[in-house]
Amino acid sequence: MRTKPFIRTLEFLWQEGHTAHATLEEAEKEAMQMIDVYTKFAYEQAAIPVIPGRKSRVETFAGADRTYTIEAMMGDKKALQAGTSHNLGQNFSRAFETQFMDENGQLEHVWQTSWAISTRFVGGIIMTHGDDAGLMLPPRIAPIQVVIVPIWKKGDEKGVVMEAVASVQNTLKEAGIRVKVDDSELRTPGWKFNFYEMKGVPIRIELGPRDVKNRSVVLSRRDVPGKQGKEFGISMEPSILVDHIKGRLEEIQASLLQKAITFRDSNIVDVNSYGELKEVISEGKWARGPWSASDADELKVKEETSATIRCFPFDQPEGAKKCFMTGNPADEVAIFAKSY
């Protein structure tokens, strides 16, 4: 396959599982449990508001009875299949004669599942939250949550500043906050500010001679650019500083999720005809509408618009629906989008 930055590299790693069960019900429960795990991880850790749902027959994994997916909207409004969970039924166990002995002493074929997310999820994080300045990492998954940039001009200021920096660093480390000090003298503070913004570090602490004198620090949030994201005079007193930074990290986490939810919801449009779907897809948005049409109709949509059914969301609207393609009754709405 062609490579694509963040999404498909020549080698990529998987978090993958395979399970075997005695019954179809157990396998289905496992497949659903894992898509719930992935959904929870996406929302709570990566701040990506994925839409969990079931794949159409056309998009179901070859050899699976059912494929469940979490679909994420990237910054360019394309969809990313961010994780999948498959109920494989007995398809593979019959092909490979994978059997177990049940409580009656009878040999039966196992019911299987498989599920995975891959390093493309890292690409999903980059493309969901990043901006023109670089990465913007949710604090819960950021390798560095706080970077401290010491500032001094005169040689005799260095010792005093670095002593205060070491104290602040230890205070944050002991509180379980992932912190880094950049005391390199090869780069200016301004260069470091830009560098760590590009790296997506959620919080930057600036500490100079005046701050040491006032027993306070200056704090900058990555998710709020410019002066609006700066706070001055935050006390160095350990309990105050720790509480303040932990609170800000949680705020940033919640803010990134809310911003992504708002972006996603403002770019999903409900459609009631094929013409409306074409228009919405041509604008680069996601189309959501009632669907009960054939596999051939689904392939026609793909051929004419380059959009595919991303999923039938688990969260479905109530009430009677008519398929926007055929006019026939439809039990579910589907989401269509162009994707990676």
Side-chain angles (χ1 to χ4, degrees):
M1 298 288 284
R2 288 194 310 271
T3 57
K4 188 178 281 286
F6 309 141
I7 297 301
R8 186 187 293 118
T9 46
L10 283 176
E11 293 183 356
F12 50 97
L13 306 175
W14 295 84
Q15 180 277 334
E16 183 171 345
H18 295 261
T19 62
H21 302 268
T23 66
L24 170 63
E25 291 72 26
E26 284 178 18
E28 180 66 11
K29 186 180 175 185
E30 172 74 16
M32 288 296 290
Q33 176 180 296
M34 284 313 301
I35 210 66
D36 286 346
V37 167
Y38 292 154
T39 303
K40 193 175 179 188
F41 170 74
Y43 268 87
E44 295 181 6
Q45 304 299 321
I48 299 179
V50 296
I51 296 178
R54 189 187 78 254
K55 286 288 188 185
S56 67
R57 278 191 305 270
V58 170
E59 295 289 325
T60 293
F61 176 68
D65 284 353
R66 284 187 161 205
T67 290
Y68 302 112
T69 180
I70 51 172
E71 297 291 324
M73 184 183 286
M74 301 294 96
D76 61 357
K77 301 196 276 283
K78 274 190 181 177
L80 181 77
Q81 181 180 288
T84 50
S85 181
H86 311 286
N87 185 337
L88 304 174
Q90 292 179 315
N91 299 322
F92 286 91
S93 64
R94 289 187 186 280
F96 293 100
E97 286 298 320
T98 315
Q99 295 175 302
F100 74 104
M101 189 177 285
D102 68 11
E103 60 267 34
N104 302 316
Q106 297 293 313
L107 278 177
E108 299 285 352
H109 290 95
V110 297
W111 300 83
Q112 288 174 267
T113 75
S114 73
W115 27 266
I117 59 173
S118 79
T119 44
R120 74 167 10 204
F121 203 97
V122 176
I125 293 163
I126 293 166
M127 295 195 294
T128 298
H129 302 302
D131 62 13
D132 288 348
L135 289 173
M136 201 180 308
L137 295 178
R140 289 182 190 165
I141 58 169
I144 303 166
Q145 294 172 311
V146 177
V147 63
I148 304 173
V149 178
I151 301 169
W152 69 84
K153 285 181 182 172
K154 301 171 191 167
D156 59 345
E157 293 173 338
K158 180 181 175 182
V160 180
V161 168
M162 289 311 299
E163 191 180 323
V165 164
S167 171
V168 170
Q169 181 185 23
N170 290 336
T171 295
L172 299 182
K173 258 188 182 170
E174 284 169 12
I177 294 165
R178 297 187 290 279
V179 58
K180 175 187 171 72
V181 172
D182 189 338
D183 56 0
S184 150
E185 295 183 40
L186 298 173
R187 304 289 186 184
T188 64
W191 187 93
K192 293 175 186 178
F193 294 172
N194 286 330
F195 181 74
Y196 291 103
E197 279 179 18
M198 188 172 66
K199 287 279 190 183
V201 176
I203 290 177
R204 181 179 75 239
I205 288 176
E206 302 161 26
L207 219 167
R210 189 185 298 170
D211 305 303
V212 175
K213 193 177 175 185
N214 296 332
R215 297 291 301 153
S216 67
V217 300
V218 177
L219 192 149
S220 287
R221 283 173 59 156
R222 172 63 180 88
D223 66 318
V224 183
K227 287 181 181 176
Q228 280 182 305
K230 275 207 164 190
E231 295 179 274
F232 297 87
I234 310 300
S235 171
M236 272 190 214
E237 204 280 307
S239 62
I240 295 174
L241 184 62
V242 167
D243 284 352
H244 190 87
I245 286 183
K246 282 190 170 178
R248 284 291 176 268
L249 289 170
E250 284 304 307
E251 270 181 40
I252 293 167
Q253 184 80 27
S255 170
L256 289 178
L257 176 60
Q258 191 51 56
K259 187 179 169 190
I261 288 171
T262 302
F263 179 77
R264 179 199 70 186
D265 291 350
S266 65
N267 286 296
I268 298 177
V269 181
D270 289 307
V271 299
N272 292 300
S273 71
Y274 185 36
E276 286 179 12
L277 176 136
K278 283 180 170 176
E279 191 178 330
V280 168
I281 296 299
S282 72
E283 292 169 0
K285 297 184 178 184
W286 291 18
R288 178 175 53 202
W291 183 264
S292 62
S294 66
D295 294 354
D297 283 328
E298 185 178 338
L299 291 168
K300 178 187 172 186
V301 173
K302 183 177 181 178
E303 195 177 307
E304 294 183 359
T305 69
S306 298
T308 53
I309 291 182
R310 301 318 304 158
C311 69
F312 293 94
F314 293 145
D315 188 11
Q316 287 281 336
E318 292 179 3
K321 294 176 273 294
K322 272 188 182 176
C323 175
F324 68 77
M325 196 75 165
T326 64
N328 295 329
D331 294 328
E332 299 174 292
V333 299
I335 289 176
F336 289 78
K338 290 182 181 179
S339 68
Y340 281 103

